[in-house]
Amino acid sequence: MASPSDNGKTAKLERYNSYIRRVNSTKLLNASSKLVFRAALLLALVLVFYFTLTYPPLSPEHHPSSGSHLFHHRNFLSSAFLLSSSTSPTWEKQARHSSAPRRPNGLTVLVTGAAGFVGSHCSLALRKRGDGVLGLDNFNGYYDPSLKRARQALLMKHQVFIVEGDLNDGALLMKLFDIIPFSHVLHLAAQAGVRYAMHNPQSYVSSNIAGFVNLLEVAKNANPQPALVWASSSSVYGLNTENPFSELHRTDQPASLYAATKKAGEEIAHTYNHIYGLSLTALRFFTVYGPWGRPDMAYFFFTRDILRGKAIDVYRNHDGKEVARDFTYIDDVVKGCLGALDTAQKSTGSGGKKRGPAQLRTYNLGNTSPVPVGKLVGILEGLLSMKAQKHVIKMPRNGDVPFTHANVSLAYRDFGYKPTTDLAAGLRKFVKWYVGYYGIQTRAKKENSGESSSN
């Protein structure tokens, strides 16, 4: 028979063993919970990347109210991926090689919006004359991104590398300025289009104001500071009634949010010039057109719709007069951009501190010959050998202005800007590119091929 002391020891031992079992069970449960949590987190990340890559953001044509969020989600992922791999010697080698000048005293230029219409043409022109060029573009879906990818492929053939990323990604911009001492920045990235601002106003503030400020912040802290040439717009003249538009005319009556953000950019540029010594040149573009153009521009979608047999809207002012534009051919605008770069003086700051007064300029880049939109349509009809189904209506109050006309005497005086391409010649080159790029056989081509086969 066991003694009372033995029974006490047995009870204590059982209690201890029970305690150990509970502790082990708790540890096992905690370990299992952590394992399940980590597995779920990993699965979620895999699904996020899978759906991001498999189902890209819809263009704003399908979701105009949410386009900005879609663009930024995509840009965040692409920029994060780039930064995670930016220590790779291969990536840095591509960027350095692209930005290295091929001629004595050549420029080293960061071109923002390099996959865009004006950006791609300027990048190619800079490269062809021997300057170093590195592009930056977020490839957003404001219009068909495949056109931007085609421009990117064209630039790659000429050894111009484009970094895919967003202006609002400060870490990315600092990385680029860290590995390359840019002498100049040609800032052409922007949210374009007057009418789209009524559907997605936030995208204009994000790109044209916040993105511009972010670029200026990085540029001001660079050593050496680059000189900046950037795209403003003829839209800043807004409700101005004096003609032709001069840089001295008032620009405090914008007719659209797009115009307001560009005007804000000019004021912001003045501030960074005054405080930090950045050399800044604003270029006010007047209705740029030509090969590789933007599908949201009238000459582009008029061509598309005429070929498809669709009706086109031709606007008249509320007093019955035709809307007219100072259409400017892309090659003339490129010459103006390069002239502004070549005459841009060095910034006077260093590491964010101003050392002396710096250059601050504003120029019109136009054709100086306004053309009624009806005449534009007539030229396209002749080039396409097709009659347009015109729907003449009063111009809606959506931010468009009835008339633009550039005075370019200041640009001519300072860097010899002189447009040489009239609308008929420019549209001929555009139509030739359009039908070739989209593989379209116009009626004129069909008739010519029919005559050739019968001979």
Side-chain angles (χ1 to χ4, degrees):
M1 184 174 179
S3 65
S5 61
D6 290 338
N7 290 336
K9 288 179 180 180
T10 301
K12 288 181 180 179
L13 183 60
E14 288 179 356
R15 286 197 299 272
Y16 176 74
N17 289 335
S18 177
Y19 168 75
I20 293 298
R21 285 194 296 271
R22 287 197 302 273
V23 170
N24 289 337
S25 298
T26 302
K27 288 181 178 180
L28 180 61
L29 183 60
N30 289 340
S32 300
S33 299
K34 289 180 180 179
L35 183 62
V36 170
F37 173 75
R38 289 172 181 171
L41 182 60
L42 179 61
L43 179 60
L45 288 172
V46 169
L47 289 173
V48 166
F49 278 98
Y50 171 77
F51 282 107
T52 300
L53 295 173
T54 307
Y55 302 100
L58 295 174
S59 72
E61 292 178 359
H62 297 91
H63 287 283
S65 63
S66 60
S68 176
H69 302 291
L70 292 169
F71 297 163
H72 286 290
H73 175 65
R74 182 175 186 273
N75 294 331
F76 169 77
L77 290 173
S78 61
S79 300
F81 174 77
L82 176 61
L83 283 175
S84 68
S85 61
S86 60
T87 55
S88 165
T90 303
W91 182 86
E92 288 198 13
K93 184 178 179 181
Q94 283 182 295
R96 291 181 189 277
H97 178 74
S98 181
S99 61
R102 270 65 164 175
R103 65 182 175 99
N105 302 316
L107 310 182
T108 301
V109 189
L110 172 65
V111 179
T112 69
F117 173 32
V118 180
S120 58
H121 279 274
C122 286
S123 297
L124 193 57
L126 288 166
R127 167 60 80 216
K128 285 184 175 180
R129 74 176 198 175
D131 293 313
V133 184
L134 181 65
L136 175 67
D137 205 291
N138 66 5
F139 294 90
N140 70 34
Y142 170 62
Y143 61 81
D144 184 8
S146 68
L147 182 56
K148 300 178 185 181
R149 294 297 180 185
R151 298 186 191 122
Q152 179 188 31
L154 177 64
L155 291 178
M156 283 297 291
K157 290 180 180 178
H158 294 271
Q159 298 182 318
V160 176
F161 179 62
I162 298 180
V163 175
E164 184 169 354
D166 195 276
L167 284 171
N168 287 297
D169 190 338
L172 172 61
L173 284 181
M174 286 189 285
K175 177 65 179 178
L176 296 179
F177 277 80
D178 182 52
I179 65 174
I180 298 167
F182 296 109
S183 62
H184 295 72
V185 174
L186 181 57
H187 175 47
L188 302 173
Q191 177 58 63
V194 170
R195 301 166 198 169
Y196 181 57
M198 298 181 71
H199 301 289
N200 189 2
Q202 289 82 7
S203 65
Y204 289 79
V205 177
S206 176
S207 180
N208 302 355
I209 297 179
F212 187 32
V213 169
N214 201 42
L215 177 63
L216 293 173
E217 278 293 304
V218 176
K220 83 173 189 193
N221 291 318
N223 193 8
Q225 288 180 341
L228 286 95
V229 175
W230 68 283
S232 182
S233 171
S234 61
S235 296
V236 299
Y237 290 108
L239 303 180
N240 172 55
T241 56
E242 297 181 78
N243 284 299
F245 297 170
S246 164
E247 293 88 347
L248 299 178
H249 289 169
R250 64 186 298 181
T251 54
D252 60 347
Q253 295 177 300
S256 66
L257 179 61
Y258 169 69
T261 60
K262 285 299 185 179
K263 176 59 179 176
E266 292 186 0
E267 301 303 320
I268 291 167
H270 178 275
T271 302
Y272 275 79
N273 169 268
H274 173 69
I275 298 176
Y276 302 109
L278 281 174
S279 171
L280 284 149
T281 301
L283 302 177
R284 294 173 177 170
F285 295 155
F286 281 72
T287 317
V288 188
Y289 73 99
W292 296 99
R294 281 179 19 219
D296 65 317
M297 300 292 285
Y299 71 93
F300 199 113
F301 61 74
F302 280 176
T303 301
R304 179 195 65 207
D305 291 345
I306 291 172
L307 287 169
R308 293 178 178 176
K310 293 178 62 177
I312 60 174
D313 291 335
V314 178
Y315 294 152
R316 287 189 179 274
N317 300 337
H318 289 273
D319 58 4
K321 294 181 180 178
E322 277 198 82
V323 171
R325 290 287 181 271
D326 197 353
F327 296 101
T328 313
Y329 189 64
I330 181 62
D331 288 357
D332 291 325
V333 168
V334 169
K335 290 175 185 176
C337 290
L338 269 59
L341 285 168
D342 290 338
T343 55
Q345 297 174 3
K346 292 182 179 180
S347 293
T348 61
S350 178
K353 295 183 179 179
K354 182 179 179 179
R355 308 295 180 186
Q359 187 180 53
L360 181 67
R361 307 181 295 173
T362 301
Y363 297 104
N364 290 336
L365 293 186
N367 194 54
T368 74
S369 300
V371 176
V373 174
K375 184 176 179 179
L376 164 77
V377 175
I379 295 172
L380 288 175
E381 288 176 323
L383 292 169
L384 299 170
S385 298
M386 293 183 69
K387 292 295 291 182
Q389 299 179 35
K390 287 175 279 192
H391 183 211
V392 180
I393 58 175
K394 286 186 177 181
M395 187 172 66
R397 300 187 185 279
N398 56 10
D400 271 328
V401 294
F403 186 87
T404 61
H405 184 187
N407 177 340
V408 300
S409 57
L410 190 60
Y412 175 74
R413 182 198 73 185
D414 289 357
F415 47 85
Y417 174 74
K418 188 177 181 180
T420 59
T421 310
D422 63 34
L423 184 60
L427 286 177
R428 185 177 300 111
K429 295 177 182 179
F430 165 72
V431 168
K432 181 180 179 181
W433 167 82
Y434 185 95
V435 298
Y437 179 78
Y438 289 103
I440 297 170
Q441 192 173 21
T442 63
R443 182 176 297 174
K445 278 190 173 183
K446 289 177 183 177
E447 291 173 356
N448 290 335
S449 62
E451 290 175 5
S452 300
S453 61
S454 62
N455 291 335

